[in-house]
C-alpha cells in the first residue's frame, strides 16, 4: 500500500532534507535546468522502451509474425484502458509541482496521498475489467483468428500487473513533479535488466510463448515497485508506503480532476485513435500489422527525447507558475524547443540511414521489413513537427491548462488523422495510413502554438497570486 503522509512530528525535518536533492526550477539557467532534469527521464524511458523492444525482437524472431502482431495489438488496448487514469495522475502531478514551487509542503503531502489512493483503486478495477472483456475488445478491432489466441493470452496476463504498473509509474511521476528524476531511473534500470533476463528464460528455456513475455514484464514491474517502496521508506522523501498512513484529501482530488480530466480525455482520444488505426491496418493482413508493430517500437524510441523534454518543461512551468515567474516560463519554452529540434534532426538522420537494418532485428520477412521501413521514412521526416507540438503540450500541461489542448487533440486526431488514414489507405494502400500521422501533427502544433501565444494559460494555476494583467506572449 502507498502513502504520502508523514507523522506530524517529523514533517519539517523530512521536507527540508528532501529539498537537498529535489530540484528547484524557480532560479538558475532555464536551459541547463531542463536538460539536467530531462536527461534521466530520457535515459529512463529509453530503457523502458528498450525492454519493450527486446520483447518484440525475441517474440518476432523466435515465435513468429503472428506472435509479434499479437503483442503489438495489445498495446493500444492497454493504453486505452489506462489513459484516463494517466490523465488524472498528470493533473495531480501538476498540483504537486505548483505547490512545491510555492513552498506549500502541507498541500504537497495531501496531493501525494490522494493520487496514490486513486491509482490503487483504478489499478484493481482495470485488472478485473481487462481480463473479463479482453476477447470482446480484440473482436472489436477485427483481430484475425490467427492472432486472437496469442493476443488474448498475452493481454490477460499483462493486465495482472496493473496495480504494480500504476504504483511504480505513479511514484515516478510524483518524484518528477518534485524535481527528483534520478530515483525512478535507478529502479527502471533494475526492471529493464530483469525483464530481459526473464524474457530469455521464459521464452527460450521454458517455452512459455507470448505468456512468457507477459509474465516477464509483470514480474519485473512488480519488483521495481517493491524496490522503490523500500528505498523511499529508508530515505528522506516526502513519500511513505504504509497502509495506516493512507489518506485522501477531497480538495486536492477536485484540483487534480479539474486539471487532469481534460488530459484524461485527451489521452483517451489518443488511445482510441491508436485503436482506430489498428482497425484500419487490420483491413490488410497480419504482415502489415507486424510491420506497424515493429516500426512503431523504433518510432517510440526515436520520439522519446522530445517527449521527455516536454515532460521536463511541464515540471519547470508548474513550479515557475506557482512562483509567479512568467518571464522564466517564456525563456524555458524557447530553450526546450531548441533542444527538441536538435534531437529530432539527429534522430531523423539516424533512422533514414539505419531504418532498414533496424527492421531486420524484428523480422526476417521481407514484406514486414519493407512496409516497416516505409513507415519510418515517412514519419521520421516530420519529427521536428512532432517535437515542437509535444513541447507546447508539456508547457500547457505544466500551467494546468489542459482543456484547450484536449480539444486540439480531438480535432487533430479524429477530424484529421483518422479520416485521412482511412481515405488514403483505400487509394494508395498501407502507406496512406503512415502519411496520416504527420498530417495530425501539423494541426496539433498549429493549435497549441496559437493558444500559447494568446497568453490565456497564465491564469490556470492552482496557487493564488495577486492579480496582474499580462500581455499576450511576445515573439
Amino acid at each position: 500500500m502507498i502513502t504520502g503522509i508523514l507523522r506530524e512530528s517529523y514533517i519539517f525535518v523530512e521536507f527540508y532534507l528532501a529539498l537537498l536533492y529535489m530540484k528547484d526550477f524557480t532560479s538558475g539557467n532555464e536551459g541547463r535546468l531542463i536538460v539536467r532534469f530531462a536527461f534521466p527521464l530520457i535515459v529512463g524511458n529509453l530503457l523502458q522502451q528498450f525492454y519493450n523492444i527486446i520483447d518484440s525482437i525475441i517474440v518476432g524472431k523466435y515465435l513468429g509474425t503472428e506472435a509479434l502482431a499479437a503483442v503489438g495489438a495489445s498495446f493500444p488496448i492497454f493504453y486505452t484502458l489506462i489513459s484516463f487514469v494517466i490523465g488524472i495522475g498528470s493533473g495531480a502531478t501538476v498540483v504537486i509541482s505548483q505547490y512545491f514551487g510555492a513552498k506549500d509542503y502541507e498541500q504537497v503531502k495531501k496531493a501525494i496521498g490522494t493520487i496514490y489512493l486513486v491509482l490503487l483503486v483504478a489499478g484493481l478495477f482495470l485488472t478485473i475489467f481487462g481480463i473479463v472483456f479482453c476477447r470482446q475488445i480484440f473482436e472489436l478491432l477485427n483481430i484475425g483468428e490467427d492472432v486472437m489466441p496469442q493476443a488474448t493470452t498475452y493481454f490477460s496476463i499483462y493486465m495482472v500487473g496493473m496495480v504494480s504498473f500504476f504504483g511504480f509509474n505513479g511514484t515516478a511521476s510524483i518524484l518528477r513533479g518534485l524535481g527528483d528524476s534520478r530515483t525512478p531511473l535507478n529502479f527502471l534500470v533494475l526492471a529493464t535488466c530483469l525483464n530481459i533476463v526473464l524474457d530469455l528464460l521464459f521464452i527460450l528455456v521454458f517455452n512459455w510463448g507470448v505468456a512468457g513475455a507477459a509474465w516477464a514484464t509483470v514480474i519485473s514491474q512488480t519488483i521495481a515497485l517493491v524496490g522503490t517502496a523500500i528505498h523511499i521508506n529508508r530515505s528522506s522523501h516526502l513519500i511513505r508506503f504504509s497502509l495506516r498512513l493512507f489518506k485522501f484529501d477531497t480538495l486536492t482530488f477536485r484540483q487534480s480532476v479539474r486539471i487532469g480530466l481534460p488530459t484524461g480525455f485527451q489521452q483517451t482520444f489518443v488511445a482510441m485513435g491508436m485503436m482506430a488505426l489498428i482497425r484500419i491496418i487490420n483491413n490488410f493482413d497480419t504482415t502489415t500489422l507486424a510491420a506497424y508493430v515493429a516500426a512503431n517500437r523504433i518510432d517510440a524510441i526515436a520520439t522519446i527525447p522530445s517527449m521527455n523534454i516536454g515532460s521536463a518543461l511541464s515540471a519547470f512551468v508548474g513550479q515557475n507558475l506557482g512562483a509567479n515567474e512568467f518571464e522564466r516560463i517564456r525563456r524555458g519554452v524557447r530553450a526546450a524547443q531548441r533542444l527538441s529540434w536538435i534531437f529530432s534532426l539527429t534522430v531523423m538522420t539516424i533512422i533514414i540511414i539505419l531504418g532498414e537494418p533496424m527492421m531486420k532485428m524484428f523480422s526476417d520477412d521481407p514484406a514486414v521489413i519493407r512496409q516497416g521501413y516505409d513507415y519510418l521514412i515517412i514519419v521520421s521526416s516530420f519529427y521536428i513537427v512532432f517535437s515542437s507540438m509535444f513541447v507546447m503540450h508539456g508547457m500547457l500541461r505544466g500551467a494546468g491548462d489542459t482543456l484547450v489542448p484536449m480539444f486540439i487533440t480531438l480535432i487533430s486526431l479524429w477530424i484529421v488523422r483518422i479520416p485521412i488514414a482511412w481515405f488514403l489507405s483505400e487509394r494508395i494502400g498501407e502507406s496512406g495510413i503512415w502519411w496520416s500521422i504527420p498530417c495530425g501533427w501539423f494541426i496539433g502544433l498549429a493549435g497549441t502554438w496559437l493558444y500559447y501565444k494568446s497568453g490565456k494559460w497564465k491564469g490556470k494555476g492552482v496557487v493564488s497570486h495577486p492579480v496582474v494583467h499580462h500581455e499576450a506572449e511576445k515573439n
Side-chain angles (χ1 to χ4, degrees):
M1 199 65 68
I2 308 168
T3 185
I5 308 299
L6 301 175
R7 291 178 61 186
E8 194 65 27
S9 59
Y10 295 102
I11 286 175
F12 297 106
V13 173
E14 295 285 68
F15 281 146
Y16 288 102
L17 284 175
L19 290 177
L20 293 177
Y21 51 83
M22 292 180 181
K23 288 183 174 58
D24 184 351
F25 291 130
T26 58
S27 62
N29 181 273
E30 296 84 6
R32 288 197 193 98
L33 287 170
I34 292 172
V35 168
R36 288 174 183 171
F37 186 69
F39 183 73
L41 298 182
I42 293 171
V43 174
N45 279 280
L46 284 173
L47 287 171
Q48 200 162 29
Q49 288 299 329
F50 180 63
Y51 74 64
N52 288 336
I53 281 184
I54 293 297
D55 273 346
S56 298
I57 290 175
I58 294 174
V59 168
K61 284 287 190 179
Y62 296 99
L63 301 179
T65 299
E66 289 79 10
L68 177 61
V71 171
S74 299
F75 176 73
I77 301 173
F78 173 73
Y79 186 51
T80 300
L81 292 179
I82 69 172
S83 57
F84 195 79
V85 180
I86 288 176
I88 301 299
S90 72
T93 303
V94 170
V95 171
I96 291 168
S97 180
Q98 292 190 18
Y99 279 127
F100 188 75
K103 309 299 187 289
D104 188 345
Y105 303 122
E106 185 64 31
Q107 288 299 127
V108 170
K109 288 196 308 170
K110 291 179 180 179
I112 290 172
T114 300
I115 190 54
Y116 273 137
L117 181 59
V118 172
L119 293 176
L120 173 64
V121 173
L124 292 172
F125 171 78
L126 290 177
T127 295
I128 297 170
F129 180 86
I131 292 174
V132 172
F133 294 104
C134 67
R135 183 173 182 86
Q136 290 88 335
I137 298 172
F138 279 113
E139 288 174 347
L140 183 64
L141 293 182
N142 195 32
I143 295 294
E145 286 302 319
D146 57 337
V147 176
M148 180 70 77
Q150 295 186 82
T152 53
T153 297
Y154 179 86
F155 184 74
S156 297
I157 296 171
Y158 201 93
M159 293 301 293
V160 172
M162 285 298 297
V163 172
S164 296
F165 174 85
F166 279 140
F168 177 72
N169 287 282
T171 301
S173 295
I174 288 169
L175 289 172
R176 289 163 187 159
L178 295 171
D180 179 8
S181 56
R182 294 188 180 276
T183 299
L185 172 60
N186 294 334
F187 287 97
L188 194 53
V189 171
L190 170 66
T192 299
C193 296
L194 182 61
N195 192 90
I196 294 170
V197 171
L198 293 178
D199 260 342
L200 296 170
L201 178 66
F202 293 163
I203 293 176
L204 301 185
V205 179
F206 293 171
N207 296 315
W208 286 0
V210 294
W215 279 120
T217 301
V218 170
I219 293 171
S220 60
Q221 191 83 62
T222 302
I223 290 176
L225 172 62
V226 173
T228 306
I230 294 172
H231 171 79
I232 286 175
N233 284 347
R234 290 179 176 177
S235 67
S236 298
H237 279 289
L238 302 178
I239 307 171
R240 292 283 172 162
F241 289 72
S242 172
L243 177 61
R244 68 183 179 83
L245 296 176
F246 207 67
K247 293 184 180 179
F248 179 83
D249 181 71
T250 304
L251 175 61
T252 300
F253 179 69
R254 286 204 304 265
Q255 291 174 328
S256 299
V257 169
R258 177 181 68 81
I259 295 173
L261 194 62
T263 300
F265 281 121
Q266 180 180 350
Q267 295 286 346
T268 303
F269 294 151
V270 171
M272 293 179 67
M274 294 170 63
M275 291 180 66
L277 281 180
I278 291 289
R279 180 67 176 80
I280 296 171
I281 290 169
N282 284 331
N283 290 331
F284 296 90
D285 55 22
T286 302
T287 298
T288 302
L289 178 57
Y292 172 76
V293 170
N296 198 252
R297 289 288 190 261
I298 299 170
D299 183 42
I301 282 189
T303 55
I304 278 174
S306 296
M307 292 176 68
N308 284 283
I309 289 169
S311 297
L313 183 63
S314 289
F316 177 89
V317 170
Q319 289 193 20
N320 281 283
L321 190 64
N324 210 28
E325 292 284 352
F326 291 103
E327 181 59 25
R328 281 183 60 78
I329 292 174
R330 184 181 65 82
R331 293 196 299 267
V333 169
R334 289 186 174 182
Q337 287 286 15
R338 287 193 294 268
L339 287 169
S340 71
W341 295 341
I342 293 170
F343 276 114
S344 296
L345 293 173
T346 301
V347 171
M348 178 190 72
T349 304
I350 293 172
I351 284 184
I352 289 174
I353 296 172
L354 299 176
E356 189 170 357
M358 290 177 182
M359 283 298 304
K360 290 179 180 177
M361 294 190 303
F362 294 89
S363 177
D364 296 321
D365 187 332
V368 171
I369 295 168
R370 177 186 58 79
Q371 292 183 30
Y373 184 55
D374 286 345
Y375 171 99
L376 291 173
I377 290 296
I378 292 169
V379 173
S380 67
S381 299
F382 298 93
Y383 277 161
I384 196 166
V385 178
F386 171 84
S387 67
S388 298
M389 179 191 72
F390 212 90
V391 165
M392 298 315 303
H393 274 294
M395 182 273 148
L396 295 175
R397 205 164 47 242
D401 191 348
T402 51
L403 186 61
V404 171
M406 180 195 75
F407 285 112
I408 293 172
T409 297
L410 177 63
I411 292 169
S412 65
L413 186 61
W414 286 98
I415 297 180
V416 177
R417 181 186 298 183
I418 300 303
I420 289 177
W422 173 80
F423 178 82
L424 292 181
S425 69
E426 293 286 321
R427 281 148 182 83
I428 62 175
E430 73 278 350
S431 63
I433 304 173
W434 316 155
W435 278 107
S436 72
I437 295 172
C439 290
W441 291 347
F442 272 108
I443 299 300
L445 172 60
T448 50
W449 180 259
L450 290 172
Y451 185 70
Y452 165 71
K453 299 300 285 185
S454 75
K456 294 179 180 178
W457 50 270
K458 292 180 178 179
K460 303 295 183 178
V462 300
V463 180
S464 298
H465 291 290
V467 177
V468 178
H469 297 286
H470 298 279
E471 299 176 359
E473 284 294 308
K474 299 178 182 178
N475 292 321

